[in-house]
Amino acid sequence: MQAVQRSQRSVFARTAIQSLSIQAQLLVRPRIAQHARQVPNITARASEASNMSDTTEQQPVNSDSYAVDNEGFYDIILPSESLRTVATEDYPFAHEAPVFVRGLNKLFFVSNRLGDHNSTNQRIELRTLDLESNKAELLPAELAEQLPMANGAINWPGADDTIALLTQGLGDIPPAVNKVNLRTMKHEVVLNSFNGKQFNSPNDVVAYMDATIWFTDPSYGHDQNFRPGPQLDNQVYAFNPDTGAIKVVAKNFVRPNGITFSPDYKTAYVTDTGEQEGNNKPLDQTIYAFNVIAPEKDGDVPQLQNRRVYATAKSGHPDGIKLDSKGNVYTGTQAGVEVFDPQGRRLGTIRFGPTTNIVFVDNMLYGLCEEKIQAVRLQATGAKLP
């Protein structure tokens, strides 16, 4: 019976792809509503997805929501599921650092740069999104001032209400890795230099299975007029907050941006947006993969080897990057969320529109799209990293 279902599904997938390329008007799903639709409770949605039948999965794909490049995309999406706008503003309030803070049932995220883009008179707002009500809450301005130009963030390993937050610095205030408790709003700097030199403008961050913190450090702060000239190269660092050990694990990027690990922690992925001030054609729009080599002694950090091109973004500017539990790779781009299988084959695109960063909450994928936050329910679930 399973073989018959797979055969039926394969035939349907090919037919759906042909239909999309020839007559988009034959699709049965209407265009998604322009107004926000409330996303139901995440737990209820996960239960609902587990009870979905193959019949539901085989409904015609909604071309307003997805672009299919490979039949494997049907193992990730629910073709009949439309995109949902869960929060909107009239300025770029949703840009970076999406983190699901399970202990609060909220998403943490930050805005794009606000203020005068030609001087250090710039700021970034901090917010949370309540996943029960879809209400976005602006965190105190004083907190944002104390954490200047916040950018990437992850859950602090082992905590359910605390995050590791990267700040890019402002003027002479150095960039830093910060530990922030979102329940109490207390925070502390855990790292703000490498070999006595200030970082450039730390961008994205991920935790390895040993709780070491890995982050990218492009020189966007200088490019965007809120930081002095860089003292260090555009590099990737690994930091052990318990021992204080830190080392460069990858270099020779144009502008390293997103970073994450495969579910088994054997592969690391780094996106390179390649974007520079005044450069309308970025030099690189690549996702690189590396083998992760375990440290030789306790307290040290792993190493990266065998750098290789994993994939290139079809629509440019690969930014935030996440994986699902099966090792498929998702990255925010100009078209939305481009998805690749573990071998780097392009599967398709979730059409959020220009998307900077993404985050999984079980089988819900949220995209930060500057003036709106979008979400979609998938068959896939996010990889469980610290």
Side-chain angles (χ1 to χ4, degrees):
M1 182 62 176
Q2 292 179 344
V4 172
Q5 290 175 335
R6 286 195 296 270
S7 176
Q8 291 174 337
R9 178 177 175 175
S10 177
V11 171
F12 169 79
R14 288 194 296 271
T15 301
I17 296 170
Q18 292 168 356
S19 175
L20 281 172
S21 64
I22 298 172
Q23 296 188 50
Q25 67 268 29
L26 294 180
L27 297 172
V28 300
R29 296 287 295 178
R31 291 186 63 85
I32 57 173
Q34 297 299 313
H35 301 288
R37 295 174 57 189
Q38 183 164 326
V39 176
N41 179 272
I42 294 301
T43 303
R45 279 199 171 280
S47 174
E48 192 177 312
S50 67
N51 293 325
M52 282 286 177
S53 66
D54 287 344
T55 300
T56 300
E57 294 173 11
Q58 293 180 2
Q59 292 180 13
V61 68
N62 181 347
S63 67
D64 289 327
S65 298
Y66 311 102
V68 180
D69 291 302
N70 184 287
E71 288 186 10
F73 203 39
Y74 289 94
D75 294 327
I76 289 173
I77 64 173
L78 292 169
S80 63
E81 186 77 8
S82 295
L83 313 183
R84 293 122 193 277
T85 301
V86 298
T88 61
E89 290 288 354
D90 59 1
Y91 67 97
F93 80 113
H95 181 68
E96 286 277 2
V99 180
F100 173 45
V101 186
R102 192 172 292 275
L104 305 177
N105 196 35
K106 294 180 178 181
L107 288 185
F108 172 85
F109 62 98
V110 306
S111 73
N112 205 332
R113 296 179 297 134
L114 306 173
D116 179 7
H117 287 187
N118 294 315
S119 74
T120 57
N121 187 23
Q122 300 186 46
R123 71 186 193 282
I124 284 178
E125 295 179 347
L126 315 181
R127 288 179 182 258
T128 58
L129 176 72
D130 188 295
L131 295 183
E132 192 68 32
S133 65
N134 289 331
K135 180 181 179 181
E137 177 186 359
L138 182 64
L139 299 185
E142 295 81 4
L143 182 65
E145 291 174 3
Q146 295 164 8
L147 298 165
M149 306 304 284
N151 206 346
I154 53 166
N155 290 292
W156 189 271
D160 68 356
D161 60 1
T162 301
I163 62 174
L165 177 65
L166 304 181
T167 49
Q168 301 174 87
L170 184 64
D172 294 330
I173 302 173
V177 179
N178 306 268
K179 185 177 182 180
V180 183
N181 186 300
L182 291 175
R183 196 182 300 274
T184 65
M185 301 300 171
K186 293 182 179 179
H187 55 90
E188 61 177 305
V189 172
V190 297
L191 177 71
N192 64 3
S193 66
F194 176 71
N195 290 341
K197 297 180 179 180
Q198 292 185 9
F199 295 109
N200 298 323
S201 43
N203 188 281
D204 202 1
V205 59
V206 68
Y208 188 62
M209 61 181 176
D210 63 358
T212 53
I213 294 173
W214 297 49
F215 60 96
T216 58
D217 186 35
S219 53
Y220 278 131
H222 174 64
D223 296 342
Q224 297 169 349
N225 303 312
F226 62 86
R227 287 281 296 145
Q231 300 179 21
L232 297 164
D233 291 337
N234 291 279
Q235 303 177 142
V236 178
Y237 298 87
F239 168 61
N240 187 323
D242 293 329
T243 66
I246 180 172
K247 67 168 57 174
V248 175
V249 291
K251 55 173 53 181
N252 298 321
F253 298 95
V254 181
R255 295 293 184 271
N257 202 306
I259 183 169
T260 194
F261 292 107
S262 60
D264 61 7
Y265 293 95
K266 293 182 179 180
T267 306
Y269 299 90
V270 178
T271 66
D272 192 339
T273 57
E275 185 179 7
Q276 294 174 279
E277 192 73 14
N279 175 21
N280 295 324
K281 294 183 178 180
L283 302 177
D284 206 350
Q285 300 185 14
T286 304
I287 304 172
Y288 293 99
F290 302 79
N291 293 349
V292 182
I293 308 302
E296 297 180 356
K297 59 182 180 180
D298 292 342
D300 204 350
V301 296
Q303 300 181 49
L304 297 184
Q305 295 181 359
N306 188 26
R307 173 180 175 143
R308 56 202 181 272
V309 173
Y310 163 77
T312 57
K314 190 174 183 178
S315 62
H317 296 82
D319 200 316
I321 185 170
K322 296 291 188 290
L323 269 70
D324 66 25
S325 60
K326 295 183 179 180
N328 298 303
V329 176
Y330 302 64
T331 186
T333 69
Q334 290 298 291
V337 182
E338 295 186 31
V339 184
F340 305 84
D341 72 8
Q343 289 72 46
R345 290 185 293 258
R346 187 187 314 280
L347 300 180
T349 301
I350 300 170
R351 290 177 161 169
F352 282 161
T355 304
T356 51
N357 240 290
I358 54 179
V359 63
F360 273 100
V361 180
D362 300 325
N363 72 326
M364 293 293 297
L365 180 69
Y366 289 82
L368 302 188
C369 306
E370 300 298 338
E371 295 185 0
K372 59 184 175 181
I373 298 176
Q374 298 209 83
V376 67
R377 182 168 59 105
L378 303 174
Q379 293 189 65
T381 57
K384 303 298 182 184
L385 301 181

